[in-house]
Amino acid sequence: MLFVLKIGGSILFPAIEENTKILKDFCKIIVDLAKKGHKIAVVAGGGAPARFYIRILENLGLSSFESDIIGINITKIHAQLMAYYTKKIALNQGIHVSDHVCENALEVLRELKNNDICFSGGFYPGQSTVAVASIIAEAINADAILLATNVDGVYDKDPKIHSDAKKFAKITVVDMRKILVEQSAKAGMYKLIDFVAIKIMERSGIPAVIFDGRNPFNLCSIVEHLVNRDMEKLTEIGTLIMS
Ligand code: UTP
């Protein structure tokens, strides 16, 4: 199958410290999936390092555009780190890994012609890396968009704040948009997905799964359930977003 995998920066780098375990585990799992015949376009998020710099830019009174450019650069560093490490561990394993960080979806299309795995960070100001994942998925006609984040699915409100928040097993893109509209009116909104991503998911019809990436091995289960078309098991460990 052909996947786009977005790994949240909050998973890769939840804090500014040298913790490489999650990053290494994800790279190893991605290599194993490629060895099984899957192709994967990976998108890396910005996490704590991006937020650290974005706060500095705010203190300096710089613009949102400038903050986004710095955020994008941090995501690209994370993508490059993953690309180098994945290429290193994939050596002599019969698969091809691109260590070029793609700057747009056309580059992803090109890299996946000759490689099983390629990497991107952010693309343009004004959106998130979930939007990047959706744009890539549409460009390469992916089977699914896999969103590894630090919650185990989509809730009707932020589960980290509200103990009575309810998790959806499945949700339509239209309902996802409604939640986003309600939440974006409030401070500290529950941010899992952005409007650009919603729009692209809606028109492409490519299903997305939001799952808990704090355990990278959840990715193996998600892929297995997708291959077996076992949607019941899939929704036990994540939320399925479909059109
Ligand atoms: P994200 O907010 O998408 O990364 O990008 P993340 O860390 O994975 O998010 P979570 O919290 O784990 O879900 C980091 C920053 O990079 C900029 C934005 O400023 C964003 O806040 N960015 C990213 C863009 O401007 N354009 C892009 O295409 C991607």
Side-chain angles (χ1 to χ4, degrees):
M1 292 179 103
L2 180 56
F3 298 113
V4 181
L5 169 66
K6 188 253 162 166
I7 308 175
S10 52
I11 299 292
L12 291 172
F13 294 105
I16 301 188
E17 58 184 37
E18 287 171 54
N19 189 345
T20 50
K21 177 154 177 23
I22 293 256
L23 187 145
K24 281 181 173 168
D25 282 348
F26 263 114
C27 295
K28 286 177 194 153
I29 292 165
I30 291 164
V31 167
D32 285 343
L33 290 173
K35 280 163 72 182
K36 288 182 182 157
H38 302 295
K39 277 199 175 220
I40 306 141
V42 181
V43 181
R51 280 192 292 278
F52 171 76
Y53 283 109
I54 288 169
R55 274 198 306 276
I56 290 181
L57 269 98
E58 280 165 9
N59 282 340
L60 295 174
L62 295 170
S63 69
S64 300
F65 175 83
E66 288 157 337
S67 287
D68 280 354
I69 294 293
I70 297 292
I72 291 169
N73 281 320
I74 300 293
T75 60
K76 285 183 180 171
I77 291 172
H78 296 167
Q80 190 73 74
L81 271 174
M82 291 193 78
Y84 284 148
Y85 183 68
T86 308
K87 190 163 187 166
K88 178 181 147 171
I89 60 171
L91 211 66
N92 302 325
Q93 301 226 34
I95 58 160
H96 298 280
V97 180
S98 165
D99 63 6
H100 168 76
V101 174
C102 300
E103 305 250 343
N104 57 56
L106 289 173
E107 286 193 10
V108 175
L109 261 175
R110 190 188 69 203
E111 291 302 309
L112 281 184
K113 282 214 175 92
N114 304 317
N115 294 285
D116 304 292
I117 305 168
C118 75
F119 295 85
S120 310
F123 282 170
Y124 322 108
Q127 60 178 35
S128 75
T129 45
V130 180
V132 169
S134 314
I135 293 164
I136 293 174
E138 186 178 47
I140 66 175
N141 196 17
D143 293 297
I145 306 163
L146 311 179
L147 303 169
T149 184
N150 61 2
V151 285
D152 63 351
V154 181
Y155 286 75
D156 58 349
K157 46 195 164 185
D158 191 342
K160 295 206 174 89
I161 301 171
H162 305 273
S163 56
D164 62 338
K166 284 193 198 76
K167 185 185 149 186
F168 297 101
K170 293 176 198 166
I171 188 166
T172 63
V173 183
V174 172
D175 286 342
M176 192 81 201
R177 185 199 298 277
K178 279 186 203 149
I179 293 181
L180 205 62
V181 170
E182 278 166 26
Q183 296 292 327
S184 53
K186 296 175 194 160
M189 74 179 258
Y190 172 40
K191 177 182 113 27
L192 269 185
I193 214 162
D194 65 352
F195 286 108
V196 179
I198 291 275
K199 186 186 163 194
I200 307 285
M201 282 178 189
E202 197 167 16
R203 72 180 194 186
S204 73
I206 297 172
V209 184
I210 292 191
F211 69 98
D212 193 341
R214 287 169 296 188
N215 176 0
F217 293 91
N218 281 338
L219 173 61
C220 307
S221 314
I222 295 278
V223 171
E224 193 185 315
H225 300 327
L226 278 168
V227 168
N228 298 332
R229 303 202 159 273
D230 192 342
M231 295 307 159
E232 284 308 310
K233 286 209 175 120
L234 185 89
T235 53
E236 278 170 21
I237 52 172
T239 295
L240 178 66
I241 307 171
M242 71 267 162
S243 50

